Amino acid sequence: KNEVEQSPQNLTAQEGEFITINCSYSVGISALHWLQQHPGGGIVSLFMLSSGKKKHGRLIATINIQEKHSSLHITASHPRDSAVYICAVALNTDKLIFGTGTRLQVFP
Amino acid sequence: DAGVIQSPRHEVTEMGQEVTLRCKPISGHNSLFWYRQTMMRGLELLIYFNNNVPIDDSGMPEDRFSAKMPNASFSTLKIQPSEPRDSAVYFCASSLAVGQVYEQYFGPGTRLTVT
């Protein structure tokens, strides 16, 4: 079993829909990262969180440390949100363990 | 700030050749990470440095891989000899570790093809 599991693996949506991507992990962590990888390959850090909730524009990330679960929400999705979203957990060092990613396609 | 800089962006080489990938972290950052991304295995940490010192190299596949960080502004990842299974995108990332709270900034990656 992978230490970091993401669901769904693939997701399609119509523009404007509310989107949720889930991440579950099985190890003790110091922080959890959500990353976005564009079709061109570049990776951008969206959020880093260790508790509660963070919001940036239309993106919201939540984490429940007790349940070892995090969600990434996108409100009012847009075709430019199409990308691969990757969850990564930081152990008690700087080492990151990555999920396999969720490929999101938003159609106009 | 120019962000994390990697070179070359693309590298095509023949099996058995030596390959050197280069990374310049964001100025002032004290941690540097080398990752490999493949379709089969996704993103994997190869090695990371803190204050130029290798901290964890458990992800380095085998002795053919080596990494150095001679100073705070430069790191190399070398593969010698290269093999077709080394074909992947190699990312470098840097961060400013402040306690346990940090964010990693990724470079654009080097796409390596070994024929």
Side-chain angles (χ1 to χ4, degrees):
Chain A
K1 186 180 190 306
N2 293 333
E3 292 166 300
V4 182
E5 298 273 0
Q6 283 186 240
S7 63
Q9 284 189 311
N10 294 283
L11 184 57
T12 59
Q14 288 295 123
E15 183 173 356
E17 286 185 6
F18 181 84
I19 289 163
T20 296
I21 299 171
N22 296 299
C23 176
S24 296
Y25 53 92
S26 59
V27 294
I29 68 170
S30 59
L32 182 143
H33 299 247
W34 281 103
L35 309 171
Q36 180 191 52
Q37 186 166 28
H38 299 287
I43 297 175
V44 174
S45 177
L46 298 175
F47 295 103
M48 182 196 62
L49 64 166
S50 54
S51 65
K53 175 180 174 179
K54 287 191 175 180
K55 184 176 189 293
H56 184 250
R58 295 180 294 105
L59 302 178
I60 302 167
T62 64
I63 188 169
N64 185 317
I65 295 292
Q66 287 72 31
E67 294 186 3
K68 296 185 175 174
H69 181 269
S70 175
S71 293
L72 176 68
H73 306 285
I74 305 175
T75 61
S77 59
H78 189 275
R80 65 175 175 265
D81 297 326
S82 298
V84 176
Y85 293 84
I86 303 169
C87 170
V89 299
L91 306 184
N92 288 328
T93 65
D94 290 342
K95 184 172 182 173
L96 290 184
I97 300 175
F98 297 87
T100 54
T102 295
R103 184 175 299 276
L104 171 66
Q105 288 185 294
V106 182
F107 293 98
Chain B
D1 198 318
V4 176
I5 298 172
Q6 290 187 247
S7 65
R9 294 292 306 276
H10 301 272
E11 177 81 31
V12 180
T13 191
E14 291 184 348
M15 184 174 66
Q17 297 296 307
E18 178 180 296
V19 175
T20 299
L21 311 182
R22 297 173 176 80
C23 176
K24 177 177 167 55
I26 292 173
S27 177
H29 282 189
N30 61 353
S31 291
L32 183 141
F33 308 81
W34 281 103
Y35 296 103
R36 179 172 67 176
Q37 186 178 39
T38 61
M39 289 293 292
M40 290 296 294
R41 299 173 67 89
L43 270 165
E44 302 174 286
L45 174 69
L46 298 177
I47 185 172
Y48 80 90
F49 296 84
N50 184 257
N51 293 323
N52 311 338
V53 176
I55 302 300
D56 186 335
D57 65 354
S58 59
M60 296 285 264
E62 48 199 271
D63 292 345
R64 297 185 298 107
F65 285 70
S66 62
K68 293 182 180 179
M69 192 163 187
N71 57 62
S73 59
F74 184 66
S75 177
T76 59
L77 177 67
K78 186 176 293 187
I79 308 173
Q80 166 64 16
S82 57
E83 295 183 3
R85 60 191 167 122
D86 302 330
S87 298
V89 180
Y90 291 81
F91 288 98
C92 175
S94 70
S95 73
L96 177 61
V98 179
Q100 290 186 322
V101 181
Y102 62 92
E103 181 177 0
Q104 295 190 20
Y105 295 82
F106 286 75
T110 295
R111 183 173 296 275
L112 173 65
T113 303
V114 183
T115 60

